[in-house]
Amino acid sequence: MTDDFDSFYRDTSRRLVRYAYGLTGDPAEAQDLVQEAYARAWQRWRRLSGYEDPEAWLRLVVNRLSADRWRRLGVRRSRAAADPPPAPAAPPSEDTVLLVRAMRTLPPAHRRALTLYYLLDRSVGEIAAETGASSGTVKSWLARGRAGLAATLGDLKPEAPARKGAGHAR
């Protein structure tokens, strides 16, 4: 049983952290959500291992946990006070910062659909099944999410410098 869970963890943990990061935009929060989801999965592993897609169960748990951050705030504060500070991480690239900022402007349904589609390579049908929405709704979320990102990222781009000689009509 332990070996099965260890293998499941190795095969799914990176994808789940990417999913949580896509939902929260915060790497530390994403890691906390994933850790909690795996702890819950371990407690239910006998039953969960028989599911057709146990990773979908984990994503559901992460999604619910991310929506309920305030409840966990007190626990996280006390845990942080007891542990030494983590080692500093390399800063994210400018593109990552811009993308995360743009993702935060989107409604949660659009953000979730984009995260499942692009970070976890889920099909529209798989996203529809996981979210309980129709395929048309998922396609709409993806289109609107992409349009929202394009608009936000377009607003964040620095203006291109004027070309020499441009604008001097004679």
Side-chain angles (χ1 to χ4, degrees):
M1 185 172 98
T2 301
D3 291 338
D4 289 344
F5 186 83
D6 289 346
S7 175
F8 173 72
Y9 176 83
R10 281 190 303 275
D11 293 343
T12 60
S13 61
R14 287 186 177 189
R15 281 192 305 269
L16 195 61
V17 169
R18 285 194 316 256
Y19 176 67
Y21 182 67
L23 291 177
T24 64
D26 179 350
E29 179 72 19
Q31 290 172 347
D32 286 349
L33 294 177
V34 170
Q35 179 180 348
E36 178 65 23
Y38 278 110
R40 292 179 184 195
W42 172 248
Q43 292 170 343
R44 297 162 179 81
W45 184 243
R46 287 180 199 257
R47 184 171 36 109
L48 186 60
S49 64
Y51 286 8
E52 182 178 347
D53 188 2
E55 187 176 353
W57 183 90
L58 278 173
R59 285 192 303 273
L60 178 64
V61 170
V62 166
N63 194 57
R64 289 178 177 168
L65 289 171
S66 72
D68 193 18
R69 292 179 187 174
W70 290 108
R71 177 184 59 81
R72 293 178 292 111
L73 186 58
V75 173
R76 189 172 44 191
R77 282 185 180 163
S78 64
R79 189 180 305 149
D83 292 345
S93 71
E94 183 178 345
D95 289 342
T96 300
V97 170
L98 292 175
L99 181 59
V100 168
R101 183 184 305 161
M103 287 286 283
R104 287 179 178 164
T105 68
L106 299 176
H110 298 178
R111 195 168 52 238
R112 183 178 184 195
L114 288 169
T115 299
L116 287 168
Y117 190 80
Y118 288 105
L119 295 181
L120 297 184
D121 294 323
R122 297 290 182 232
S123 70
V124 169
E126 290 170 328
I127 296 169
E130 185 168 323
T131 61
S134 70
S135 292
T137 299
V138 172
K139 289 177 185 177
S140 173
W141 288 342
L142 290 169
R144 290 177 182 180
R146 285 188 291 260
L149 286 176
T152 302
L153 291 172
D155 292 343
L156 296 175
K157 286 183 183 175
E159 291 185 28
R163 294 188 320 220
K164 290 184 180 179
H168 295 287
R170 293 185 186 208

